[in-house]
């Protein structure tokens, strides 16, 4: 029996019992993820252990500061968790310093700006339409409104970064920070040459490896660690951890400035449940099986892009060296928006994406971006990615005519359901 005088203690009910509407939205999302082919290049499926860690009691803990120097008591376990995450990150990337507290990739980038720049300083990054990222100097982002931005683009013919052009712009503009990396550039990056250019103009060289971090630790993509002054990343894309950010360097003096910039400069209390989940994901990425996974991610992206190209679609830059490809839909007279919506109807999830020198607005866009990290985590291989390519070709082929044929739509939807049932998620 309830004691009439007892204060109402925190609820012990399950989510399903306590909050039907949120439970049911999460349950629907679980089913959507389970029954769809996820091709959004920045998404992945975490392990059950990572998921469990994010829902742990560490969500209750404040631990402002750094290990051994916290502004709160009771941080003994938080220290163990953060130290473990840092040691594993250093082992994974082969560097001497890691800050695992950034809440996101954008906040990791902002921390680097705070550490090394003053408002009004000049930064040089890859143009958004060439595959760059909002936080690399877009005028719609703090990076582009607090700093003067100059951009390099991909060349109009091959759609590759032209390093001579980067050098020319850097020498003319003399930026304080040079950024390499982005959200929709699919080719290997020449980190060594970027460092030479940065040294030449006295700039800090920041590599943002948010998309390719998991491929780098597996040796499937060039590593910036020997070259960049600072490397930022997210932890949830190809690295397959919880949503979050991280900053790496081998420079002790820079490390001190970065620590101060992350906390107390930019952030308050670290998200200890997320940091613990990062540690769990790093442990997974240190295992030999992760190398097999990352190899398959690249092979699968190449299989998908090749199939789309064979079917008559055009792949920006002609292919991919990583987990993503950008598909130019102009030859078929489609926009990214139309393609994204049509594909969603059959359970294939992509995002519309601008292509280099796009004349469409980003919300319409002339392309879609596809990625292989998530479906590879379900165990799909090159044969399945070719099958997915065929489904995309059939659907967009039908959409080309103005409206998708309903029989085509039904048959592709059935194919999606069958494929996802063969490769179930573990939750
Ligand atoms: N916009 C995310 C992506 O999808 O690449 C990164 O911030």
């Amino acid at each position: 029996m309830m004691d009439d005088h007892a204060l109402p203690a925190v609820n012990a009910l399950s989510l399903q019992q306590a909050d039907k509407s949120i439970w049911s939205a999460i349950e629907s999302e679980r089913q959507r993820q389970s029954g769809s082919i996820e091709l959004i290049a920045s998404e992945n499926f975490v392990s059950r252990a990572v998921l469990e860690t994010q829902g742990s009691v560490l969500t209750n803990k404040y631990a402002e500061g750094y290990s051994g120097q916290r502004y709160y008591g009771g941080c003994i376990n938080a220290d163990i968790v953060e130290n473990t995450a840092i040691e594993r990150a250093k082992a994974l990337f082969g560097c001497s310093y890691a800050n695992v507290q950034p809440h996101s990739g954008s906040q990791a980038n902002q921390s680097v700006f705070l550490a090394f720049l003053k408002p009004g300083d000049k930064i040089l990054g890859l143009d958004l339409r060439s595959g760059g990222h909002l936080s690399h100097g877009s005028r719609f982002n703090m990076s582009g409104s607090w700093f003067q931005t100059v951009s390099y683009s991909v060349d109009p013919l091959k759609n590759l970064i032209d390093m001579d052009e980067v050098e020319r712009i850097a020498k003319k503009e003399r930026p304080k920070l040079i950024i390499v990396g982005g959200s929709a550039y699919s080719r290997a990056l020449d980190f060594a040459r970027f460092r030479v250019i940065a040294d030449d103009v006295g700039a800090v060289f920041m590599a943002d490896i948010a998309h390719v971090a998991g491929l780098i630790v597996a040796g499937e993509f060039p590593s910036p660690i020997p070259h960049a002054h600072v490397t930022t990343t997210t932890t949830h894309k190809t690295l397959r951890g919880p949503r979050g950010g991280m900053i790496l360097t081998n420079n002790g003096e820079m490390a001190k400035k970065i620590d101060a910039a992350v906390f107390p400069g930019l952030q308050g209390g670290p998200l200890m449940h997320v940091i613990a989940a990062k540690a769990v994901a790093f442990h997974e990425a240190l295992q030999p099986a992760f190398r097999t996974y990352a190899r398959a991610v690249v092979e699968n992206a190449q299989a998908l892009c090749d199939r789309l190209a064979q079917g008559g679609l055009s792949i920006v830059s002609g292919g991919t060296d990583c987990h993503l490809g950008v598909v130019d839909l102009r030859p078929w007279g489609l926009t990214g928006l139309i393609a994204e919506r049509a594909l969603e109807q059959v359970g294939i999830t992509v995002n519309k994406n601008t292509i280099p020198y796009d004349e469409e607005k980003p919300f319409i866009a002339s392309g879609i971006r596809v990625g292989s990290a998530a479906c590879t985590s379900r165990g799909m291989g090159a044969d399945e990615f070719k099958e997915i390519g065929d489904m995309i070709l059939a659907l967009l082929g039908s959409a080309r005519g103005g409206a998708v044929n309903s029989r085509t739509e039904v048959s592709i939807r059935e194919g999606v359901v069958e494929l996802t049932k063969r490769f179930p998620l573990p939750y």
Side-chain angles (χ1 to χ4, degrees):
M1 265 242 332
M2 273 274 290
D3 175 348
D4 285 346
H5 301 292
L7 288 172
V10 69
N11 207 325
L13 298 175
S14 70
L15 176 63
Q16 185 175 8
Q17 295 164 323
D19 191 332
K20 278 271 182 306
S21 56
I22 294 300
W23 176 83
S24 118
I26 292 174
E27 181 54 20
S28 299
E29 174 61 11
R30 195 186 60 72
Q31 286 171 16
R32 188 194 68 79
Q33 290 184 13
S34 168
S36 305
I37 291 174
E38 182 55 72
L39 296 180
I40 292 180
S42 45
E43 294 190 13
N44 209 332
F45 297 113
V46 295
S47 68
R48 183 180 279 277
V50 168
L51 197 60
E52 183 183 327
T53 311
Q54 277 206 269
S56 72
V57 292
L58 282 166
T59 197
N60 297 329
K61 188 67 196 114
Y62 246 115
E64 271 182 10
Y66 290 102
S67 185
Q69 293 171 304
R70 306 279 188 187
Y71 289 84
Y72 294 81
C75 287
I76 179 170
N77 300 309
D79 282 1
I80 292 171
V81 161
E82 187 162 347
N83 289 339
T84 305
I86 289 170
E87 290 311 313
R88 290 178 180 172
K90 285 167 24 182
L92 255 185
F93 287 91
C95 60
S96 59
Y97 162 91
N99 188 311
V100 294
Q101 291 195 3
H103 301 329
S104 70
S106 289
Q107 282 180 296
N109 290 345
Q110 286 164 12
S111 300
V112 173
F113 300 162
L114 186 61
F116 303 112
L117 301 175
K118 298 215 164 15
D121 278 351
K122 201 176 272 183
I123 62 175
L124 173 63
L126 180 62
D127 167 52
L128 200 54
R129 284 181 190 231
S130 293
H133 189 254
L134 274 173
S135 66
H136 296 178
S138 160
R139 67 192 167 96
F140 302 109
N141 185 264
M142 175 273 246
S143 56
S145 55
W146 289 18
F147 303 102
Q148 280 183 68
T149 304
V150 279
S151 304
Y152 53 95
S153 309
V154 294
D155 80 75
L157 286 180
K158 292 187 177 160
N159 293 156
L160 298 174
I161 294 173
D162 174 350
M163 292 307 299
D164 293 336
E165 178 72 354
V166 175
E167 183 174 358
R168 190 190 61 73
I169 299 172
K171 282 186 168 158
K172 176 166 173 266
E173 300 287 349
R174 305 201 74 81
K176 286 265 171 54
L177 180 82
I178 297 179
I179 308 170
V180 59
S183 276
Y185 186 76
S186 64
R187 293 307 198 167
L189 295 160
D190 187 350
F191 294 116
R193 177 93 188 267
F194 270 99
R195 175 59 186 261
V196 170
I197 295 170
D199 283 348
D200 218 19
V201 301
V204 171
F205 168 29
M206 180 183 106
D208 179 343
I209 57 165
H211 267 267
V212 286
L215 308 181
I216 289 170
V217 301
E220 293 296 331
F221 196 86
S223 172
I225 298 294
H227 310 291
H229 292 109
V230 189
T231 298
T232 59
T233 186
T234 59
T235 49
H236 50 276
K237 298 183 176 104
T238 51
L239 199 48
R240 207 164 62 180
R243 305 191 77 79
M246 177 161 67
I247 307 174
L248 310 165
T249 184
N250 275 322
N251 182 313
E253 285 310 304
M254 287 183 156
K256 284 185 208 151
K257 288 186 177 169
I258 292 165
D259 274 348
V262 174
F263 175 84
L266 189 74
Q267 295 188 168
L271 308 177
M272 292 314 306
H273 55 308
V274 178
I275 291 174
K278 288 175 186 172
V280 173
F282 298 162
H283 176 68
E284 291 172 0
L286 281 162
Q287 306 311 309
F290 195 83
R291 295 182 86 90
T292 311
Y293 163 70
R295 177 91 281 265
V297 166
V298 177
E299 285 170 0
N300 289 344
Q302 289 169 343
L304 176 59
C305 288
D306 286 351
R307 181 51 64 101
L308 294 175
Q310 284 156 9
L313 284 168
S314 167
I315 308 297
V316 170
S317 86
T320 181
D321 298 326
C322 61
H323 63 301
L324 69 84
V326 178
V327 185
D328 180 352
L329 299 166
R330 289 174 308 177
W332 284 18
L334 293 168
T335 66
L337 181 63
I338 289 171
E340 178 191 294
R341 287 190 177 157
L343 288 165
E344 187 163 1
Q345 289 304 312
V346 295
I348 299 177
T349 321
V350 302
N351 63 280
K352 56 188 159 299
N353 213 98
T354 49
I355 57 167
Y357 305 96
D358 206 333
E359 286 175 5
E360 296 287 359
K361 292 195 170 78
F363 197 76
I364 310 282
S366 296
I368 51 170
R369 185 182 63 163
V370 292
S372 59
C375 283
T376 307
S377 288
R378 298 178 79 134
M380 293 185 199
D383 286 344
E384 287 74 34
F385 274 85
K386 287 178 196 160
E387 201 181 320
I388 294 168
D390 287 338
M391 292 185 205
I392 295 174
L393 288 166
L395 189 86
L396 296 186
S398 171
R400 259 176 116 169
V404 178
N405 176 291
S406 59
R407 262 194 299 189
T408 308
E409 196 174 79
V410 168
S411 114
I412 296 172
R413 179 66 199 140
E414 283 167 3
V416 168
V417 169
E418 189 274 327
L419 188 55
T420 54
K421 279 195 177 143
R422 270 200 285 138
F423 295 89
L425 284 172
Y427 36 75

